[in-house]
Amino acid sequence: MADGVTFEELKSGADRIFEAFGREFKRFERFVGDSPDAFFLPNLMKELERDKFSLSDSEALLRELSELRTRFVGKKSEWAAAKKTVGRVSPEERGRAGQHLQLTEVGMTDPLERARINLEKITENLRTAREAIDVTLPGRRPRRGHIHPITIVRERIEDIFVSLGYAIEDGREIETDFYNFDALNIPE
């Protein structure tokens, strides 16, 4: 097997990737927590409030966590390339190599998934808190009405003519028959 890979070479490569993952994942360890611990998330929320952790911080961490997942266990990652080399390990060691890679991958994907779930819950809690409405505050009174759009346009046109030197004369809005027709020599 000229281009074969030994179990030790595969193991050392996988361990090197896992150590690199561990170094980069350190920032997210506080979000992993224990699954059965019911007080983990409320306690973490209190801790984050003390640290002035905001919604934008949470969303940024979710994006970074997604990028970390892609970089370490994505389809084009170094880990995916390492998994493809299992086929080049000798048949006697192939089972052990596959088992080691599987356990190492679970060691990376499990904390990633738990951190993602907890970060999503934190993001949702922060979003809900931001959008909360204080129902004890007095409401805003609706405006009684507004100027009709045609009136607004008419006033703008009048302003233009006034700026040109014309004068605007106002009269009564309702006029009698005499002033509308007879005084203007309009026959019945």
Side-chain angles (χ1 to χ4, degrees):
M1 213 173 212
D3 63 340
V5 178
T6 66
F7 170 72
E8 292 304 320
E9 291 171 340
L10 185 71
K11 183 179 181 313
S12 68
D15 292 343
R16 181 182 49 78
I17 295 169
F18 185 72
E19 289 170 12
F21 167 78
R23 283 191 300 274
E24 291 206 34
F25 188 74
K26 265 195 190 341
R27 313 177 25 218
F28 301 99
E29 284 178 347
R30 75 193 285 194
F31 299 104
V32 174
D34 295 326
S35 298
D37 186 6
F39 299 107
F40 170 72
L41 202 58
N43 291 338
L44 181 60
M45 286 297 293
K46 289 177 187 171
E47 181 183 323
L48 294 173
E49 283 178 21
R50 281 194 305 269
D51 295 346
K52 305 269 191 271
F53 192 77
S54 69
L55 178 62
S56 59
D57 295 336
S58 178
E59 290 170 342
L61 277 177
L62 266 172
R63 279 191 302 276
E64 291 172 22
L65 188 66
S66 175
E67 291 168 7
L68 184 72
R69 172 186 287 281
T70 303
R71 193 172 44 227
F72 279 97
V73 291
K75 290 182 179 180
K76 295 182 180 180
S77 66
E78 195 176 346
W79 184 254
K83 287 191 330 186
K84 290 177 184 173
T85 61
V86 171
R88 296 191 341 220
V89 175
S90 68
E92 302 85 38
E93 295 178 322
R94 193 172 296 152
R96 261 186 10 174
Q99 212 172 23
H100 180 73
L101 286 179
Q102 190 67 29
L103 288 173
T104 307
E105 185 172 13
V106 167
M108 288 190 291
T109 56
D110 185 48
L112 278 168
E113 188 63 20
R114 287 172 42 198
R116 182 191 62 80
I117 289 169
N118 288 332
L119 264 171
E120 284 177 352
K121 288 178 184 175
I122 289 168
T123 302
E124 188 60 35
N125 287 343
L126 290 171
R127 190 172 287 128
T128 302
R130 183 187 70 182
E131 295 171 356
I133 298 172
D134 185 2
V135 294
T136 61
L137 292 174
R140 291 191 202 121
R141 293 188 183 268
R143 290 183 11 193
R144 284 305 237 180
H146 59 279
I147 299 175
H148 193 279
I150 293 176
T151 307
I152 293 172
V153 171
R154 193 193 81 228
E155 288 174 353
R156 286 184 185 164
I157 292 171
E158 288 174 357
D159 290 341
I160 292 170
F161 278 103
V162 168
S163 69
L164 292 173
Y166 289 91
I168 304 294
E169 298 295 331
D170 288 329
R172 294 187 293 226
E173 290 191 23
I174 298 176
E175 214 34 271
T176 62
D177 233 10
F178 175 77
Y179 289 109
N180 269 339
F181 303 107
D182 299 335
L184 298 172
N185 293 325
I186 297 174
E188 283 189 33

